[in-house]
């Protein structure tokens, strides 16, 4: 929406429009003038990956979002400051404050919780001034950092536990050590290309004594396996010069092992706990510093979903007071023999990943899929932090109301509708956002013909129609075309509305179409995927601990894009690499993927943007990071897919999520990447990173057709609006 930006923009507009196609680039200062503003939501926050605090002053906390960067508070969580917005460090796996000098902080990137949507790591970073400035300290190829340990006697001695890239086998994993503050690194513990450091702890009484839980795991787009011969517990007493692998003779389970969570007691360092994934998972306790172990609890579900949680924490003042950090927070006061639920489904958001306790045990900071909760009475009560905008959007849409609304689905936080601007004092508030569907929110958009209604999908193609006036929600998921067919819906299934007749489309392996708001459905395509049975094993996924939640559903449709220029033209992208086109409303289909050069076969097709000016033109994003390839791929066709041209230049980094064409200027393009948004003024010959917003994953972009606002969905920092982009047009 126009905000009276003024004469300065008129001058900038003339500068842009006067540029030739070969020299078109953003004029200096334009990004700062056309700044992005966050519109939330914050009330449902988002997934948190790591928390650390200052022992001498628990009001100082550092929080690392799963895909929203590092934030700091100095007043116990009342106010927060983002610290890493200019860095490609959106996904945080570990934060470590050097307690003798709390201005020295290390951050390890890449989520430690290795789910299908885990953020991507870019190595380790260090600040010497409490987060004002940062320096990249290497290890860029390690994928994800589970833990960083600092020798309290010498800040130059640093240990990094690297999980590695879960999507491919590589040697960039294990335990690394630096003795010169991160200038150089030595890999001091390595097992095999599929085994990384899953957790690592330092003896409070002896910094040369470390215990590491090595974890063999591997993720494919269609399957996940936790456990293997490489998993195990290793100990060292000489700072990693020599290691001992513990065995069943030392008290470990005799079966194959998976992920292990570890923690020392600070009050009694001989007491150590290990939460071990095995054929029968168990909580172990050691009374001799981790040399030998005994089982204290082997009840069913003692280690629920270890790939996503897998942490145990010990009260700094009481060796028998233990928490297991998982879907709820479970608490024991008898050394792990029995547990009760401290934070259940009714008290706070579920799915916990970070749990920091102050040395006196009074301040506890909990990070979960819904944000951060803080207790100042040892866990007696918790306060939700309402001003951390970590919401993880998957898609974005807008309506034509005045003021207009923004629609989108959030990871594990439902689907919401909120205003781009409000007419009351105080700006956009939490209560301005309304939840319209539950679950892991995906595509959400208004009914183009009936504005009071809208549609929202959750994981695996569950879809509802909602009524914005009454609040009614009705499940309208289509059935299979016959009783012998099982539908395959991706975790983030393709979904769209037809711009000509208001029909809605939903993708399984087929395209389903409804012309009556989801009351009835028609299947308008054959199976558009490869239908490879070897890639349909998601029901068996998990490895040692089964985890068939549907997140690994494969050979399915992830993008549906009807042409806004000509009715009957529909583009479809699949997770197994097909790119299908119909020009007759679904009667006939052609897979045009073979004509695309320079993109590995089988690469995911997450977004398609049919041109707003020419029915034969479409822009397509390909994403291969789920096979360990982080390269960007963006292509355009101008002849219905017969030939393609790459729009990738040296300006682009990492993989892309989405592409958007401006509705006024056909040469104005926007790209959403894993680390920010790019803009091109010349049809993709030159790209510029948009520095006026954080470098976080951008999953959806839309230009409001009336207001010309640019609305951006980030996966980790909620939604943003750039008011009135006419200077770019």
């Amino acid at each position: 929406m126009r905000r009276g930006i003024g004469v300065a923009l008129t001058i900038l507009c003339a500068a842009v429009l006067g540029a030739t196609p070969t020299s078109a680039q953003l004029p200096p200062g334009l990004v700062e003038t056309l700044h992005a503003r966050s519109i939330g939501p914050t009330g449902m926050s988002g997934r948190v990956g790591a928390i650390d605090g200052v022992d001498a002053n628990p009001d100082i906390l550092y929080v690392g979002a799963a895909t929203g960067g590092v934030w700091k508070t100095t007043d116990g969580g009342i106010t927060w400051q983002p610290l890493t917005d200019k860095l490609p460090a959106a996904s945080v796996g570990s934060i470590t404050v050097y307690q003798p000098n709390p201005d020295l902080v290390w951050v390890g990137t890449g989520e430690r919780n290795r789910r299908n949507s885990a953020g991507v790591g870019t190595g380790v970073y260090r600040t010497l001034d409490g987060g004002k400035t940062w320096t990249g300290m290497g290890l860029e190829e390690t994928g994800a950092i589970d833990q960083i340990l600092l020798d309290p006697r010498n800040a130059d001695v640093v240990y990094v536990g690297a999980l590695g890239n879960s999507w491919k086998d590589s040697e960039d994993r294990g335990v690394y050590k630096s003795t010169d503050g991160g200038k150089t690194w030595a890999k001091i513990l390595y097992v095999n290309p599929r085994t990384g450091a899953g957790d690592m702890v330092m003896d409070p009484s002896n910094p040369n004594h470390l215990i590491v839980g090595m974890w063999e795991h591997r993720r494919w787009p269609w399957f996940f396996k936790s456990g293997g011969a490489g998993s195990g517990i290793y100990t060292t007493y000489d700072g990693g010069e020599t290691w001992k692998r513990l065995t069943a003779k030392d008290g470990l389970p005799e079966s194959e092992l998976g992920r292990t969570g570890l923690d020392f007691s600070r009050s009694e360092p001989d007491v150590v706990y290990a939460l071990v994934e095995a054929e029968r998972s168990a909580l172990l306790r050691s009374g001799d510093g981790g040399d030998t172990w005994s089982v204290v609890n082997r009840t069913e579900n003692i280690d629920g979903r270890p790939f996503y949680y897998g942490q145990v924490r010990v009260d700094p003042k009481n060796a028998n007071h233990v928490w297991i950090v998982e879907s709820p927070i479970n608490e024991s006061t008898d050394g792990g023999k029995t547990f009760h639920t401290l934070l259940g489904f009714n008290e706070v958001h579920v799915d916990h990943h970070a749990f920091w306790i102050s040395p006196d045990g009074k301040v506890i900071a909990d990070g979960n899929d819904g944000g951060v909760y803080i207790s100042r009475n040892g866990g007696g009560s918790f306060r939700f932090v309402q001003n951390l905008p970590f919401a993880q959007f998957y898609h974005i849409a807008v309506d034509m109301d005045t003021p207009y609304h923004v629609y989108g689905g959030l990871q594990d936080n439902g689907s919401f509708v909120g205003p781009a601007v409000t007419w009351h004092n105080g700006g956009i508030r939490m209560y301005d956002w309304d939840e319209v569907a539950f679950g892991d929110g995906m595509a959400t958009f208004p009914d183009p013909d009936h504005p009071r209604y809208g549609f929202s999908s959750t994981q695996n193609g569950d879809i509802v129609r909602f009524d914005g006036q009454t609040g009614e929600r009705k499940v309208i998921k289509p059935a299979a075309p016959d009783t012998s067919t099982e539908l395959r819906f991706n975790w983030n299934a393709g979904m769209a509305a037809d711009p000509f007749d208001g029909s809605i489309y939903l993708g399984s392996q087929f395209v389903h179409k409804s012309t009556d708001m989801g009351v009835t459905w028609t299947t308008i395509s054959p199976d558009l995927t490869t239908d490879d049975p070897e890639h349909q094993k998601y029901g068996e996924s998990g490895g040692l601990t089964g985890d068939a939640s549907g997140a690994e559903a494969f050979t399915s449709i992830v993008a549906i894009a009807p042409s806004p220029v000509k009715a009957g033209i529909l583009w479809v992208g699949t997770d197994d690499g097909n790119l299908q086109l119909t020009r007759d409303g679904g009667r006939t289909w052609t897979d045009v993927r073979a004509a695309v050069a320079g993109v590995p076969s089988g690469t995911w097709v997450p977004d398609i943007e049919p041109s707003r000016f020419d029915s034969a033109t479409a822009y397509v994003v390909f994403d291969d990071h789920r096979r360990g390839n982080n390269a960007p791929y963006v292509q355009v066709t101008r002849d219905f897919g017969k030939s393609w041209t790459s729009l990738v230049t040296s300006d682009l980094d990492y993989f892309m999520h989405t592409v958007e064409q401006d509705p006024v200027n056909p040469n104005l393009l926007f790209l959403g990447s894993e680390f920010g948004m790019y803009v091109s003024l010349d049809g993709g010959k030159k790209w510029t990173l948009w520095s006026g917003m954080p470098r976080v994953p951008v999953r959806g972009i839309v230009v409001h057709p009336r207001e010309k606002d640019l609305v951006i969905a980030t996966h980790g920092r909620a939604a943003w609006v750039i008011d009135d982009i006419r200077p770019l047009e």
Side-chain angles (χ1 to χ4, degrees), residues 41 43-44 349 406-410 412-418 430-441 444 456 458 464 466-468 470-473:
M44 55 296 306
H349 199 290
V406 176
Y407 297 67
L410 312 177
D412 205 23
N413 282 275
S415 295
F416 283 80
V417 178
M430 285 192 301
Y431 59 72
D432 290 316
W433 286 87
D434 294 322
E435 184 186 68
V436 295
F438 192 62
D440 281 79
T444 304
S456 180
T458 63
V464 300
F466 58 87
D467 185 330
T470 67
E472 178 191 16
R473 305 176 189 179

Side-chain angles (χ1 to χ4, degrees), residues 27-200:
L30 181 57
V31 169
E32 289 72 24
T33 305
L34 296 178
H35 69 280
R37 59 182 175 88
S38 177
I39 63 170
T42 62
M44 55 296 306
S45 200
R47 193 163 74 243
V48 172
I51 299 176
D52 200 9
V54 175
D55 287 351
N57 182 2
D59 282 343
I60 302 176
L61 295 173
Y62 293 85
V63 169
T67 46
V70 179
W71 291 62
K72 179 182 181 180
T73 180
T74 58
D75 53 17
I78 305 301
T79 60
W80 296 84
Q81 177 185 5
L83 302 181
T84 56
D85 282 0
K86 301 301 181 183
L87 301 175
S91 178
V92 181
S94 178
I95 301 175
T96 301
V97 176
Y98 187 60
Q99 300 301 338
N101 174 16
D103 284 339
L104 171 58
V105 183
W106 283 78
V107 169
T109 61
E111 276 191 84
R112 66 180 301 278
N113 310 301
R114 307 310 292 157
R115 65 171 296 137
N116 59 321
S117 61
V120 174
T122 57
V124 291
Y125 296 82
R126 184 189 68 181
T127 179
L128 301 176
D129 52 19
K132 296 177 184 176
T133 59
W134 295 87
T135 302
M137 306 305 294
L139 304 181
E140 294 90 349
E141 301 301 319
T142 52
I145 304 299
D146 191 292
Q147 190 59 256
I148 300 174
L149 301 178
L150 305 175
D151 190 325
R153 305 165 303 183
N154 184 352
D156 285 338
V157 178
V158 187
Y159 300 90
V160 172
L163 279 168
N165 189 325
S166 295
W167 297 106
K168 68 176 181 179
D169 294 355
S170 73
E171 296 185 356
D172 297 303
R173 62 188 71 221
V175 180
Y176 294 80
K177 181 178 181 179
S178 176
T179 57
D180 53 15
K183 296 177 183 177
T184 60
W185 297 94
K187 186 158 51 176
I188 60 173
L189 181 58
Y190 172 77
V191 178
N192 64 41
R194 200 171 284 184
T195 302
D199 202 358
M200 180 171 63

Side-chain angles (χ1 to χ4, degrees), residues 498-501 505 562-570 582-585 615:
D498 193 289
F500 289 95
D501 64 8
Y505 301 97
S563 169
V565 176
K566 186 176 180 180
I569 297 177
L570 194 68
T582 180
R583 297 168 65 182
D584 55 17
S615 62

Side-chain angles (χ1 to χ4, degrees), residues 198-268:
D199 202 358
M200 180 171 63
V201 290
M202 178 182 287
D203 186 336
S205 64
N206 178 6
N208 289 326
H209 177 203
L210 308 179
I211 306 177
V212 179
M214 298 297 284
W215 179 30
E216 180 173 324
H217 70 289
R218 176 64 195 272
R219 184 172 281 285
W220 297 264
W222 56 87
F223 197 75
F224 174 73
K225 183 180 186 297
S226 176
S231 298
I233 298 178
Y234 290 75
T235 64
T236 179
Y237 281 90
D238 52 18
E241 294 293 325
T242 59
W243 295 88
K244 177 185 177 182
R245 179 173 182 170
L246 305 182
T247 68
K249 294 181 180 179
D250 304 303
L252 271 60
E254 295 185 0
S255 70
E256 184 178 272
L257 303 182
R259 190 176 197 173
T260 295
L262 297 160
D263 203 17
F264 272 96
S265 165
R266 287 192 242 177
S267 60
E268 299 179 43

Side-chain angles (χ1 to χ4, degrees), residues 203 209 211 235 237 264 269-272 286-293:
D203 186 336
H209 177 203
I211 306 177
T235 64
Y237 281 90
F264 272 96
D270 283 341
V271 176
V272 195
S286 172
D288 56 12
D291 293 337
T292 61
W293 301 81

Side-chain angles (χ1 to χ4, degrees), residues 120 165 179 199 245 310 331 397 401 456 479 529 537 571 700 712 726:
V120 174
N165 189 325
T179 57
D199 202 358
R245 179 173 182 170
E331 182 180 38
D401 285 353
S456 180
T529 74
K537 307 289 188 181
W571 296 83
I712 305 158
R726 283 180 177 84

